[in-house]
Amino acid sequence: MPYPPSPRVLPGPRRRTLLASAAGAALLAGCSSAPGDPDGGTGGSPSLAERARARAARDSDGLVGRYDAVLAAHPALAPLLTPLRAEAVRHREAFGGGASGSSASSSPTPPGSASPSPSVSASAPAVPADERDALAELAAAERTLADQRARTLLEMPGELARLLASVAAAGAAHAFLLTEGAK
């Protein structure tokens, strides 16, 4: 014997109707831009993901510049900093940053060079005279950037979110290694 319907029927749409409406809206939203429109119908302006990718490349480039400045001021730190700097260069490239920019070279200033490279000149941050302080500032820069990327990834589509998460994790590891190197 079937059970009678519930005596208290709530007014308003049913759950199935709401789910079907939400699915239909998602399908329509996915089809809103013209086929072949690379920017998703934003009228030529870059998408949120493209802007985030460009900013991440610029941020990585700035980090490479910081590494260059510290390496120029403290060449004895090269064994610790060179691999971390190389990772920052790879991160910049992963985000689409090319070899052009303020710190374009893929190798740091040679420890014995008398004059700093052009990338370390006008726009480079001041480097503390003490090696420990210089490492602490680099660690803080890595940590800040890793935190920023972790917040940004929540708003990004899949592949870019995964890349941001990976690079944020690497930045946190760099911050740890730099902190340990300062001890």
Side-chain angles (χ1 to χ4, degrees):
M1 168 175 193
Y3 291 105
S6 172
R8 99 185 156 135
V9 176
L10 299 174
R14 296 188 182 264
R15 188 177 353 181
R16 287 183 188 159
T17 306
L18 288 176
L19 289 174
S21 299
L27 285 174
L28 289 175
C31 300
S32 63
S33 64
D37 188 4
D39 61 354
T42 58
S45 66
S47 70
L48 177 66
E50 290 168 343
R51 288 190 312 264
R53 187 178 286 274
R55 179 176 181 180
R58 281 191 313 272
D59 290 344
S60 291
D61 193 51
L63 196 57
V64 170
R66 284 180 174 268
Y67 276 105
D68 287 345
V70 173
L71 282 165
H74 302 288
L77 294 175
L80 173 64
L81 298 184
T82 302
L84 300 178
R85 182 197 179 278
E87 286 295 315
V89 169
R90 282 193 280 278
H91 297 159
R92 176 184 65 200
E93 292 167 356
F95 288 118
S100 63
S102 63
S103 24
S105 66
S106 61
S107 62
T109 303
S113 72
S115 64
S117 69
S119 64
V120 180
S121 60
S123 65
V127 177
D130 182 56
E131 288 182 355
R132 288 180 185 208
D133 292 341
L135 288 175
E137 281 190 8
L138 262 178
E142 283 274 14
R143 192 173 303 109
T144 299
L145 190 54
D147 291 345
Q148 174 188 327
R149 287 175 171 164
R151 283 188 303 274
T152 301
L153 74 88
L154 298 173
E155 303 164 359
M156 295 300 121
E159 189 61 32
L160 181 55
R162 285 186 288 276
L163 179 59
L164 283 166
S166 175
V167 174
H174 291 179
F176 174 78
L177 292 171
L178 290 165
T179 302
E180 289 298 309
K183 288 184 179 179

